[in-house]
Amino acid sequence: MLRPCQVLCSQAGPSTGAWQALSFDGGAFHLKGTGELMRALLVLRLCAWPPLVTHGLALQAWSQRLLGSQLSGALLRASFYGQFVAGETSEEVRGCVQQLQTLGLRPLLAVPTEEEPDSAVKTGEAWYEGNLNAMLRCVDLSRGLLENPGPAGNILMQLKVTALTSTWLCKELTSWIRRPGASLELSSERLAEAMDSGRDLHVSCLSTEQNQHLQASMNRLQRVVQHARAQRVRLLVDAEYASLNPALSLLVAALAIRCNSPREGGPWVWNTYQAYLKDTYERLRRDAEAADKAGLAFGVKLVRGAYLDKERKVAQLQGTEDPTQPDYEATSRSYSRCLELMLSHVSQRGPRCHLMVASHNEESVYQATRRMWELGIPLDGPVCFGQLLGMSDHISLALGQAGYAVYKSIPYGTLEEVIPYLIRRAQENRSVLQGARRERELLSQELRRRLLGWGLRVPH
């Protein structure tokens, strides 16, 4: 039985504010149309069917052959695409965002492009340069979506580093970083110095081709960050597989040295921490302390993690230690510890420390809102919440209506670009999709109330 969540009416802290109940019972669904609720219920039920998620790409190809691309595309747009994607054009994205704003929600745009590890498709510099242009356009779109952005720096955007650099380079860097007595050539300070000076970087453990690609990748990342900072858009770098994350964190740390000065409104570059990995709490604690010691602002997106099954399979195949928590309960305990750590840092460091509580779990959101009140952290301050577009709306809407900063992760693009991306995300988030039973119950209950005029809300 979940406890009712409570929020602060005043933003002054526990000494002056009073609690009032915030319930995740679907009451906020009254803000959405009946058609939207019916589509959400249908799509979430389909997503809970394992064969559809497992064989999504094959089923999509089969439907195109059977129905034709036009009819197949229309069905996708009316269902999965319409549920989880903002649209294809900037006008469609703007319409989606305006609708979210009326519900008290904010956009977190995501370009649906990435390089899959061990993919059979080989990519070249031209592909990464094309992705760079897409990221720069996404920065502009993020900035232009909000007519009244409000406090400086509340515009956020997701950044997938493997859209700008290759996974094989990240794996090579990770293998060197993990070696005992790793070379100082791979320090974040040296990478930041190379970015500042504009000189070519040469790392002895990399081949000539790899050094050239590393230099080009750093230039691309630097261009995105510089443009985002000029547009007052904060970049939330996605975490990926354990075989890539040390390299990604190295690049993020180098960018943070250059861009996360609190005097310049930082943090402009945030890193993502996955609670399902065993070493996350210690790594988060170490990184937070290092940022504080260096006088840098620190930005964190805290997630449970989406690659659990793949990480375990890779560890089994390679005969290495499983890097993940043993079960969901252990992951939840890890998330709770990391959340408590970051909220303490926010309360002590104020605007120099930012946190996104990216969770579809009601208990985690309850913990965050309760501790925010106890620590005197303002509702619309350095802590915000995040969920995927089309999922956990009963949580997002309740938080948004209560005055919290709530972001919806929003992919956009053509069907050809987005559907493979959505299928990969669905495969990674199987447990979330299959565990959305409560949301489906709340949707069914609200539809019964509207269409049949009966039905009590599902209690906590």
Side-chain angles (χ1 to χ4, degrees), residues 238-440:
D238 286 337
E240 303 190 41
Y241 296 96
S243 61
L244 310 178
N245 284 339
L248 301 183
S249 294
L250 174 68
L251 294 170
V252 170
L255 293 168
I257 291 173
R258 297 195 70 255
C259 306
N260 281 358
S261 168
R263 293 187 299 274
E264 298 175 2
W268 296 106
V269 180
W270 304 21
N271 205 358
T272 296
Y273 294 80
Q274 302 156 304
Y276 78 145
L277 294 176
K278 294 175 182 175
D279 67 348
T280 294
Y281 178 83
E282 286 303 318
R283 191 162 53 87
L284 178 58
R285 182 189 59 78
R286 184 180 64 244
D287 291 352
E289 291 176 357
D292 193 21
K293 185 177 180 180
L296 296 174
F298 189 50
V300 168
K301 181 173 76 168
L302 182 61
V303 303
R304 272 177 167 74
Y307 305 112
L308 181 64
D309 292 337
K310 288 187 178 181
E311 296 287 12
R312 287 178 174 170
K313 288 178 181 177
V314 168
Q316 187 175 18
L317 287 172
Q318 295 180 347
T320 56
E321 181 184 355
D322 183 353
T324 67
Q325 299 286 353
D327 50 41
Y328 184 82
E329 289 71 24
T331 298
S332 292
R333 289 193 296 272
S334 171
Y335 194 96
S336 179
R337 289 184 71 207
C338 293
L339 179 58
E340 182 63 33
L341 174 68
M342 280 307 302
L343 289 174
S344 297
H345 275 281
V346 170
S347 69
Q348 295 164 13
R349 300 184 63 195
R352 292 186 301 162
C353 192
H354 288 233
L355 169 67
M356 173 177 278
V357 183
S359 178
H360 298 87
N361 182 281
E362 294 179 21
E363 285 286 358
S364 295
V365 174
Y366 169 82
Q367 178 189 354
T369 54
R370 176 178 56 81
R371 291 295 289 146
M372 285 174 66
W373 181 80
E374 292 173 352
L375 295 169
I377 299 172
L379 270 65
D380 197 9
V383 177
C384 61
F385 295 82
Q387 288 92 34
L388 298 172
L389 181 69
M391 289 195 64
S392 298
D393 283 348
H394 65 298
I395 297 176
S396 305
L397 292 171
L399 285 169
Q401 292 299 301
Y404 288 94
V406 187
Y407 290 81
K408 282 294 197 178
S409 175
I410 304 176
Y412 65 95
T414 65
L415 279 171
E416 293 74 18
E417 293 170 334
V418 177
I419 292 301
Y421 173 88
L422 286 181
I423 291 172
R424 287 196 297 271
R425 297 291 83 78
Q427 290 170 348
E428 293 162 3
N429 290 279
R430 291 172 190 272
S431 60
V432 175
L433 290 167
Q434 294 173 15
R437 181 176 58 189
R438 176 170 167 77
E439 186 175 4
R440 296 193 298 270

